[in-house]
Every structure is written in structure tokens, then in C-alpha cells.
Amino acid sequence: MRLRHKPWAKEYLDSHPEYVLTAPPSGHWKEVFQNDHPLYIEVGTGKGKFLDKMSKKYPEVNFIGIEKYESVLVTGVERLVENPSDNIRFILGDVADVLQYFQYREVDRLFINFTDPWPKKRHEKRRLTYQSFLTLYEKVLRPEGEIHMKTDNQGLFEYSLESMSQYGMKLKNISLDLHTSKLASENVMTEYEEKFAAKGQPIFRLEAAFAN
Ligand code: SAM
């Protein structure tokens, strides 16, 4: 992703603690949202457009986006300030630290959307579907919880299918062209997905669960 440095981003994020949690309340999300609705998280949320649309489509679900770059996340927070949702929060942080953000088996669903493919073999450990990340996801997801992944990148998709099946995960609803599949009517497009769809590129999608 191309990053435009925004020197004011940190101050802006700090001024919106109602949306951006710098000290995520692991185990206390019910108090944050003032309800016990399911928790759906997006790792590498970017500008948060997907979560914004999801939070309005599913008001009975609580959504949390994790993004490591202030200059990217700031756009998502600006959008929320203009058009508020009370069932969405962001964490400015690294997915590698997810165990600090959520308690064991606290999360109901985890979205991995258009994550960086890191195509070089020597960068394999950075892919968000590398087995060390799956180990983290397994800890925070409820036993019946699911991972939903979308990507435009065939290499990353093939890698993720392999990584997840080698981990012993159960895979379902796999699509090699989401927008022409029966799953399209329910699909909510992410920011990156809109760009790829406009170019006519196929979108790969899968659902996965740990075999508990
Ligand atoms: N999910 C969005 C979408 O589909 O439009 C954004 C996709 S963008 C290609 C990937 C985002 O993931 C970037 O904003 C990047 O900073 C973030 N990201 C990548 N690795 C991350 C990590 N380990 N922790 C937090 N964010 C991460």
C-alpha cells in the first residue's frame, strides 16, 4: 500500500478515543460496546471502509479493525466522525499483538481482506495466513468462530489454502471468482476490492474454521 505521511494523524487519532483504542480492553469489550453482541474483527483494516459498511448492515454485531499505520487509519476515523456508528472501534496496532487485544476465545469472526501478499519466500512469515498468525487466531477465536478471507492475489490465496489445510483447518465456501458466484449477493466490498472489481479482476474467497 502507498502511504501518504500525515503528520497530524497521531494527534487526530488521540483526539477520538471513542473510536480508537490505544489500550484495548482485552476481556472487557462488552463494557466498551455496552452490550454482549458478537465480536467480528478485521486484521489489516486499512481505511476501514469494509467495517463501516458492515457495521451499518449488521447493527447487532460489534466490529473492531486492527491497522498498524496512523496515516491510513485516520481516514476510517474521519469517516466515522462524519457518519457515526456505535458498533465499531479501531485498534492502532499490529496483528502480531492480537493476544494483547482479545482474551482467549473472545472473537466470533475474523476477516482477512486483501492483505499484503509478500510474494518473496523469505517474507513468508509476514503473510497474515502464515502458521504463526493462525496460531494466534486459533487462540482468540471461539471454537465455532470462522475466518473469512478475500484477496485478488492468486499466489497468496493458494498459499493460504495450503497453510490453513496443513494446520488442520476446515475450509468451505471457496470461490475463485466471488463476484460471479452465488456468494456475491451477500458480499460487502472492501476498499481494495472495489478497485480490483472495477478492473474486472477475479476475487478469491474462503471460509475456514479450526478443527476444535
Ligand atoms: N482490508 C483493507 C481492504 O481490503 O481495503 C485494506 C487492505 S491493505 C492492502 C492491507 C492493510 O493491512 C494495510 O493498511 C496495512 O497497513 C495493514 N497491515 C498489514 N499487516 C499488518 C499487521 N501486521 N498489523 C496491522 N495492520 C497490518
Side-chain angles (χ1 to χ4, degrees):
M1 142 169 310
R2 195 151 40 92
L3 268 185
R4 194 172 308 136
H5 182 59
K6 297 175 185 166
W8 48 272
K10 174 85 172 73
E11 197 179 335
Y12 184 84
L13 295 179
D14 286 347
S15 69
H16 287 287
E18 74 280 25
Y19 289 127
V20 185
L21 300 167
T22 42
S26 172
H28 296 279
W29 287 100
K30 288 187 180 89
E31 288 140 53
V32 170
F33 289 107
Q34 308 263 300
N35 60 48
D36 61 358
H37 294 173
L39 287 186
Y40 286 14
I41 70 174
E42 185 185 21
V43 295
T45 203
K47 296 177 181 168
K49 198 168 186 180
F50 171 72
L51 287 195
D52 185 47
K53 291 194 253 180
M54 290 290 280
S55 71
K56 284 160 179 126
K57 184 171 180 183
Y58 301 104
E60 73 293 353
V61 174
N62 294 325
F63 293 92
I64 302 161
I66 305 172
E67 170 56 48
K68 65 180 172 183
Y69 290 119
E70 292 160 357
S71 299
V72 179
L73 188 57
V74 80
T75 306
V77 179
E78 285 178 316
R79 189 185 298 112
L80 273 181
V81 169
E82 271 171 38
N83 191 358
S85 280
D86 58 10
N87 58 333
I88 179 166
R89 298 290 186 279
F90 292 117
I91 295 170
L92 178 63
D94 197 308
V95 178
D97 296 327
V98 74
L99 297 185
Q100 293 171 29
Y101 310 150
F102 301 98
Q103 246 177 15
Y104 184 63
R105 298 192 161 175
E106 195 176 18
V107 173
D108 294 271
R109 188 167 297 174
L110 188 148
F111 295 101
I112 309 175
N113 291 324
F114 300 87
T115 185
D116 310 71
W118 295 110
K120 291 186 179 140
K121 178 73 183 159
R122 67 188 154 91
H123 291 148
E124 179 187 3
K125 291 181 181 171
R126 298 185 191 179
R127 297 175 196 154
L128 293 189
T129 50
Y130 181 64
Q131 59 168 253
S132 64
F133 281 104
L134 299 182
T135 304
L136 299 177
Y137 305 154
E138 184 177 23
K139 291 195 168 98
V140 298
L141 270 177
R142 288 190 197 287
E144 67 281 11
E146 293 178 350
I147 293 179
H148 290 196
M149 177 186 181
K150 294 193 276 189
T151 181
D152 63 301
N153 189 290
Q154 186 174 348
L156 179 70
F157 192 67
E158 288 170 357
Y159 171 82
S160 303
L161 285 173
E162 204 177 310
S163 177
M164 289 173 173
S165 55
Q166 275 175 4
Y167 199 91
M169 296 181 77
K170 294 173 283 184
L171 296 154
K172 63 173 181 167
N173 288 332
I174 295 171
S175 176
L176 303 181
D177 190 357
L178 171 61
H179 294 172
T180 60
S181 78
K182 62 180 179 2
L183 301 165
S185 60
E186 282 295 300
N187 184 47
V188 171
M189 283 209 244
T190 80
E191 180 142 0
Y192 269 66
E193 188 172 358
E194 285 172 0
K195 289 182 196 161
F196 294 125
K199 290 187 203 161
Q201 284 180 236
I203 303 300
F204 303 90
R205 179 189 187 276
L206 64 80
E207 293 176 15
F210 293 97
N212 291 286

